Amino acid sequence: MSKQAVLTDKAPKPLPIYSQAIVANGFVFCSGQVPMDPATMKLADGDVQAHTHQCIKNLQAVLEAAGSSLDKAVEVNVFLADIGDFAAMNEVYETYWGDVKPARTCVAVKTLPLNTDVEIKCVAVL
């Protein structure tokens, strides 16, 4: 099996311990994206809905750099700091991913990086 790292400046720069994504066997495995603005490397302003948009925008940039797209996502994992944000996050989430929505898990976690409220990762086909 061969694998290739994906790196784009249109998404937040990853730490040296992981890649933005890995392409392997016809799939793109994206690392989790927090609502960080890639230009400033600071968390975007706003609520969980604005943050959900930014997370997905970051994933979109990584997928496109890999030669894929949001419409080709087959699995998404959403991590929320507060499950009370579930409905608000879903209002934004459902506007993405194309007509056939990917399989998904959404879990509440104790703490997310940079103490943000949402992080999203996905797997897509090429």
Side-chain angles (χ1 to χ4, degrees), residues 3 43 49 51 73 75 103:
K3 63 181 183 177
L43 289 178
Q49 290 189 322
H51 290 168
E75 181 184 38

Side-chain angles (χ1 to χ4, degrees), residues 3-4 13 28 32 39-41 53 55 58 62-63 76 79 81 95-96 104 106:
K3 63 181 183 177
Q4 177 183 2
K13 183 178 178 180
V28 183
T40 64
M41 293 300 290
H53 277 297
C55 290
N58 292 342
V62 173
L63 287 170
V76 177
F79 306 92
T95 66
Y96 292 96
R104 189 184 91 174
C106 181

Side-chain angles (χ1 to χ4, degrees), residues 20-41:
Q20 287 174 329
I22 294 291
V23 174
N25 292 337
F27 289 93
V28 183
F29 299 87
C30 293
S31 292
Q33 290 289 330
V34 296
M36 185 178 286
D37 181 330
T40 64
M41 293 300 290

Side-chain angles (χ1 to χ4, degrees), residues 33-36 43-60 70 76-82 85-97 104 106 112 116-121:
Q33 290 289 330
V34 296
M36 185 178 286
L43 289 178
D45 292 332
D47 60 8
V48 72
Q49 290 189 322
H51 290 168
T52 300
H53 277 297
Q54 186 66 51
C55 290
I56 296 172
K57 182 178 173 182
N58 292 342
L59 285 169
Q60 181 176 17
L70 291 175
V76 177
N77 293 299
V78 179
F79 306 92
L80 293 171
D82 180 352
D85 288 334
F86 185 77
M89 178 276 299
N90 276 326
E91 287 179 16
V92 172
Y93 178 94
E94 70 184 352
T95 66
Y96 292 96
W97 315 106
R104 189 184 91 174
C106 181
L112 289 166
T116 190
D117 48 6
V118 63
E119 180 175 359
I120 304 174
K121 68 181 291 274

